Structure formats: structure tokens, C-alpha cells
Amino acid sequence: SFDSTTRRRLFHLAYERRHRIEILDALAANESVVRPASVEPAARPTVQWIFCIDERCESFRRHVEELGADHETFGTAGFFGVPMYYRGLDDWHATPLCPIVVRPRHTVLELPLEEVAGLHAMRRSLRRRYGQITGSVTAGSRTLLRGGLFAPLLGAVAAIPLVARVAFPRLAARIGRTASDLGRHRIRTRLAVERQADPGFVSGTQAGFDLAEMASIVRRVLEDIGLTSGFARLVAVVGHGSSSRNNPHESAYDCGACGGGRGGPNARAFSMMANDPRIRELLAAGGLVIPADTWFVGGQLDTCASSLTWHDLDLVPAGHAGDVARMRDCAERVATFDAHERCRRFETAPPGMTAVEARAHVEARSVDLAQVRPELGHATNAVCVIGRRQRTRGLFLDRRAFLVSYDPTTDSDGTILARTLAAVGPVGAGINLEYYFSLVDRLGYGAGTKLPHNITGLVGVMDGHASDLRTGLPLQMVEIHEPVRLLVVIDAAPETILTAAGSLPAVKRLVENHWIQLVSWHPTTGRLSVYSNGGFVPHVPERRDLPVVDRSIVWYAGHRSHLPPARVLAAMGPSRHAPGVRA
């Protein structure tokens, strides 16, 4: 009865068990790092950073924390509790930015300020005229007469940017970006997040949010991540997206919590809400007090180019100008370190390159017309940790872990956990299973190689012009992925987890049908227990020590493949002991 299917199943369970033990042993060992009683509590953080739970942000958060103990990071679903249709200044239609299981009831527009409204109208007119001309040329190029004229006349001209984008992608992109910025950056904008007299849109959505809705959004996010006191002077809210050229799968690199969109507008909208004095008054009336000198800044991380964009900096109070300058400097340094860590997985990135060279390399990949691997997306995802960052801070998790902030000490009845699972459970498991099936069956569930893919009818991609639509992810996104079910570790007692998961049908199915591996990390005893056959079985660590390094680069330098966890001293802060095996 031990046939090939049974053997493959057994081998795969052993494969997952090896990875599970490696991670859980590391978590247990990191838990043994204690804070001496004689050490004073940490001072007020210089900056608090709120990122998406995306596993690509794990390395960015770690490098932020390596700057020092005065930097504190949090993770939440990257739509930041703001489900909305969004239409940017240059967008032709609104796009939903929220998990795909949510249908937004509000639309938010990006509008120019009154003093530049005339300039914006002129720019729109020029863009419309340019579109009409290019559309006419494109249509004419397909006719016999005009096509015969256009080919020799315009073909040579069109070849110049084409060759530049292949031979000098970074330079060509910089020139194009500079030309675009000359007009765009002169137009200052704001998001119309507050509901005005406009009753709504034809789609049935409301134009913006009312004050009560905005206060509820801010309260929910801050309570969910456990940030209800000890606010820094500056809180950076960072969404993410991905930019690349000639890539029919580009949206698959964007934010899963935004339904394949980019989370920068959500971060910007949340920050505007959190900075509104009227919202803060409503929050204070409910017991959530945000200090008057705390300011939220929204931004977006480009996970492909390792670049950051910040919004509404002209609204920052004068007293916070120095704080913002230091934050932006830190963000640029961290983006460079993060790019260096990312480059170890690219076969075309030479080993031994400096951090500055690595930053230039990822920028070039993002704009290279011929690059089929601009980034590797979620190709390393394997773990999801839902809990307090202090339990995992300083742990090198190799860009493999979704990190969700949750504080069980403020959630006695499990209400916040249920909300958190409802938001991140389907998103994390969906991403994991998408990569899992696209790898184990690269043609049936995946999409094969992306090289012959053509976008068809704005619906999907197909091989060439005459194949079936491809439903999964291409080879270039999954080739380094380890096909293991998502290991979800929750900082909560077993009974709390079962109650919360049982109240959510979608999450309950994931657990009971074993689409994920579920682990309880008891918030007081530190005991790890693995869900099996309707109950939790205690995990017995096989190894109680961890390699110890000063910084992340010491651990990953010279390695291409997946790495086991290690303890990074620089990210732990000066107030924690760090026993272990020195690497």
C-alpha cells in the first residue's frame, strides 16, 4: 500500500516538519533572551514605523531596527484599515485598494490644490491631446499607406528609447522620470478623504469618509497593532508596491492586502486621518490619546527598486522638520542595506558587490525592458508570525515571514485577534498557496515561463496568441520558492486561537482542512504547541541555541540559498542579553 502517492505525501510532510522545527526552535531560543531587571525601560522612540505584513518588509524592518533601539516597527495589513476605491491625479478610473474579499463603500480622489488647478487643467489637456495623437499614429501604422510611411520615418526614432531601455535602463529611466517630474511635481495635491456635500458616485460608493468612520479606522488599526501609548514624535506609515517594465504579471508583485494594488494611497489616507485634530478628539474621548506632538507621515516603498516616496511633507509642522529629515535619511540608508540583502538571491548580481552597487543594481532591474526577474516577489514566503515584535525582534528570518503586530495583553476576549485573522489569514494563506501550487505544477496550476506571455483582452495572459489563459504564476516568480504550507504562529493561548478562528468560516476552513500549519505561542508561558487532529500538541525543541551575529550582512553574505534563523545583536537593542553560539 506504500505507493508513489503515499511516498510523496510522507516525504513532503517530513520536508515541512524539518522547516517547522527549525523555525519553532529559533523562536523558542529567542524567547529565552531576557531583559535584566536593572535596565531602565527604553526612552521614547525616535521614529515608529508601520509597515505592511508582507514578508518582503521583514528585511526592511530588521535593517531599520539595526539602526538602534530608538526605532520601533509594527506590521499590519497594507491597506491600513482604509478600504476604498482610489483614483489618482492621472488615473482614468478608480481602483479598489483593499483585500479582494472586501467590497469598498467609499471612493477617495486625489485632487490638485486650488492654486494649481489651472496648471493641472492645462496639463490634462496636453496629456489628452498627446493621447489622441499617439492613438492616431498607432491606428495609422496598421494601415497600408500610413504604415508604409511611418515605418521608415518613425521606426528609427522609436529605436532610440528602445535601445536605451535595454542597454542603459537606469539612465533611460532617470531621464524619463526627470522629464515627467518637471510637470507633475509642480502640482501639489491632497486626498479628498473627508465626505463633503457630494452624496456619492454612480457606483453607489460614498465620496470620502465621515469623521466617525475615520476615527473608527484609526482606532482599529492602532489597537490591532498594540500602539495605544508610548507614541514617538514621528510615525511613518509605509505602504508598498512594485514597479517594472514589460511585465504582464506586475500586479502580482504589488500589495496582496490591497488586492494587487499599491498601498501608498492607503498609507497617505490613514496618516491624514490620524493627524486630524477632530479625529484625535474623538479618539481621546474613547480613551485613546495621541500626543499633540506626534505626527504621522505616509509613504510608499517600491519593493522592486528599493526606493521610497513620501506624501504631504509640506504639511509637516516646522518643529518636526528635523525629525522628518532624519527619518528620510534613515530610510535611504535602510533601502540601500535592504537592496544589498536582496541581491544575494539574484544570479546576475555578482557576489561581493557593495551596498551602493546593489542599490544601483536593483534600480536597473526595475526599469530594464528585457529583465524577466525584476524582483522575486513573495517567492520566499513560508511563515506568518502574529504577535508582539519584542518576541521576534533581532531574529533573522530571511525575508520568509509575514510579521503581524498583535498584543495579546490588551485583548482579553480575543476580539482583536479575530479581526486580525479575518484580515491577514486569507491574504497570507492565499499568497502562500498561490506560490505552492504554481511551483508543484508549473504548467497546470502555474503559468510556465513568462517569456512568450501576451496580455489578452485585459483579462489575463496566454502563451503567444493561441493558447489557454494561464491562471497561476510564471516560472520566474516561483523557481526559488520552497513549497511548504504557511506556518502560522500566533502569540495567544490555544483556546483563544480556536475561539477566534472558529468564528471566521474562511479561517476555520484553512485550519481544519490543513491548508495552513497552526501554532500557538503562549503569551505567558512561552510554550509552543502545534495544531493537530483538532487539538494542540506541545512542541519539544530539538536545539536550544542560535547562531549570533553582529549584523544581518555577516549572516547572509556569500550565500544564495535559504538561510536558517540567527540572532542579530544590532537589531535587539542594548537592553537585552544575547546568549548563543557566535557565528
Side-chain angles (χ1 to χ4, degrees):
S1 61
F2 196 55
D3 57 16
S4 62
T5 301
T6 306
R7 287 197 298 273
R8 290 198 300 271
R9 172 181 170 80
L10 181 63
F11 287 144
H12 192 83
L13 291 175
Y15 185 63
E16 290 183 327
R17 179 181 181 275
R18 182 270 315 165
H19 174 258
R20 181 174 67 246
I21 290 175
E22 180 179 81
I23 295 299
L24 298 187
D25 284 0
L27 295 177
N30 205 58
E31 179 75 4
S32 66
V33 181
V34 297
R35 182 183 297 274
S38 60
V39 175
E40 295 294 328
R44 187 181 188 186
T46 301
V47 184
Q48 289 167 323
W49 307 72
I50 305 177
F51 292 96
C52 180
I53 66 173
D54 194 295
E55 83 286 355
R56 291 170 292 180
C57 294
E58 184 273 329
S59 58
F60 203 95
R61 290 179 61 177
R62 178 168 22 88
H63 287 295
V64 165
E65 292 164 352
E66 288 185 30
L67 296 176
D70 56 340
H71 291 267
E72 189 175 12
T73 69
F74 300 86
T76 187
F79 72 112
F80 301 102
V82 187
M84 63 180 182
Y85 285 102
Y86 171 74
R87 193 178 77 198
L89 191 67
D90 296 327
D91 296 339
W92 293 107
H93 58 83
T95 302
L97 296 179
C98 57
I100 59 173
V101 295
V102 177
R103 183 177 180 84
R105 295 184 291 112
H106 306 82
T107 296
V108 172
L109 307 179
E110 183 185 22
L111 302 175
L113 297 182
E114 290 185 7
E115 56 264 30
V116 294
L119 179 62
H120 174 59
M122 181 180 69
R123 181 169 171 267
R124 286 191 65 184
S125 177
L126 291 175
R127 290 181 69 241
R128 184 177 293 108
R129 185 59 181 162
Y130 175 76
Q132 291 172 346
I133 293 173
T134 55
S136 176
V137 170
T138 300
S141 67
R142 297 189 175 98
T143 65
L144 179 62
L145 179 59
R146 282 190 288 175
L149 294 175
F150 288 164
L153 294 177
L154 300 181
V157 176
I160 296 175
L162 179 64
V163 173
R165 288 172 179 172
V166 176
F168 312 102
R170 192 172 177 226
L171 176 61
R174 185 166 295 177
I175 294 173
R177 193 160 46 240
T178 301
S180 176
D181 289 348
L182 289 176
R184 182 180 303 171
H185 281 186
R186 295 172 59 191
I187 301 177
R188 295 163 55 200
T189 66
R190 293 286 184 268
L191 296 189
V193 295
E194 184 177 353
R195 186 173 303 163
Q196 303 296 332
D198 189 339
F201 294 93
V202 177
S203 61
T205 62
Q206 295 292 331
F209 301 81
D210 62 33
L211 293 180
E213 290 170 332
M214 290 190 284
S216 176
I217 287 171
V218 176
R219 174 182 294 278
R220 177 169 178 168
V221 171
L222 295 180
E223 287 181 346
D224 285 358
I225 66 176
L227 181 57
T228 55
S229 61
F231 288 89
R233 280 175 52 83
L234 202 63
V235 181
V237 186
V238 186
H240 71 94
S242 179
S243 61
S244 53
R245 284 192 181 275
N246 191 29
N247 186 3
H249 299 272
E250 185 178 40
S251 65
Y253 296 86
D254 284 329
C255 179
C258 294
R262 298 176 181 178
N266 302 75
R268 185 183 185 185
F270 178 87
S271 298
M272 291 182 66
M273 296 176 186
N275 288 329
D276 192 320
R278 299 168 299 171
I279 303 300
R280 294 195 180 188
E281 288 181 7
L282 293 174
L283 295 175
L288 177 55
V289 179
I290 301 176
D293 65 345
T294 292
W295 191 260
F296 290 75
V297 179
Q300 179 170 291
L301 168 66
D302 187 328
T303 58
C304 189
S306 287
S307 60
L308 292 110
T309 304
W310 301 101
H311 302 295
D312 299 328
L313 294 183
D314 56 312
L315 296 179
V316 175
H320 287 70
D323 300 282
V324 171
R326 285 189 292 272
M327 176 202 73
R328 297 182 70 182
D329 178 66
C330 289
E332 287 301 312
R333 290 162 56 196
V334 168
T336 303
F337 299 149
D338 188 58
H340 189 264
E341 181 172 338
R342 288 177 54 209
C343 281
R344 79 179 189 86
R345 305 308 297 261
F346 297 135
E347 294 293 339
T348 55
M353 64 193 329
T354 66
V356 174
E357 292 170 339
R359 182 78 179 271
H361 181 82
V362 298
E363 288 179 358
R365 296 181 79 94
S366 70
V367 293
D368 189 344
L369 192 67
Q371 180 57 255
V372 294
R373 296 174 182 83
E375 70 162 307
L376 298 174
H378 299 278
T380 53
N381 81 85
V383 184
C384 177
V385 180
I386 303 174
R388 292 161 288 180
R389 179 57 172 165
Q390 67 193 57
R391 304 188 81 175
T392 57
R393 179 163 179 159
L395 196 60
F396 180 91
L397 292 173
D398 201 21
R399 294 170 57 87
R400 307 195 70 184
F402 298 100
L403 297 176
V404 187
S405 294
Y406 164 69
D407 188 352
T409 63
T410 62
D411 185 31
S412 58
D413 59 357
T415 301
I416 295 177
L417 178 59
R419 292 202 309 243
T420 302
L421 288 176
V424 306
V427 172
I431 291 172
N432 173 262
L433 292 172
E434 182 181 33
Y435 276 77
Y436 181 103
F437 286 111
S438 294
L439 178 61
V440 297
D441 189 346
R442 298 181 182 182
L443 295 179
Y445 291 123
T449 177
K450 68 160 64 169
L451 297 181
H453 286 178
N454 284 332
I455 298 176
T456 305
L458 299 183
V459 174
V461 298
M462 58 174 26
D463 290 337
H465 68 284
S467 74
D468 292 334
L469 288 173
R470 310 314 303 262
T471 58
L473 299 173
L475 168 67
Q476 289 80 4
M477 292 180 67
V478 301
E479 56 193 347
I480 70 166
H481 183 65
E482 276 194 320
V484 294
R485 290 170 298 164
L486 189 67
L487 179 64
V488 182
V489 183
I490 303 177
D491 185 3
E495 55 274 14
T496 304
I497 295 173
L498 292 178
T499 300
S503 65
L504 305 166
V507 177
K508 184 178 180 181
R509 285 195 298 271
L510 290 172
V511 174
E512 293 186 346
N513 295 332
H514 304 290
W515 292 113
I516 61 175
Q517 303 176 81
L518 185 62
V519 177
S520 165
W521 196 0
H522 202 284
T524 55
T525 67
R527 179 179 300 170
L528 290 155
S529 304
V530 181
Y531 181 82
S532 177
N533 298 322
F536 284 89
V537 179
H539 167 73
V540 180
E542 296 184 2
R543 181 174 179 177
R544 298 183 180 275
D545 57 353
L546 267 177
V548 177
V549 294
D550 293 325
R551 292 192 174 274
S552 297
I553 187 173
V554 178
W555 188 239
Y556 70 73
H559 296 280
R560 294 285 193 189
S561 59
H562 298 299
L563 289 172
R567 184 174 297 136
V568 182
L569 296 182
M572 301 184 70
S575 60
R576 299 182 75 184
H577 288 313
V581 179
R582 196 80 179 188

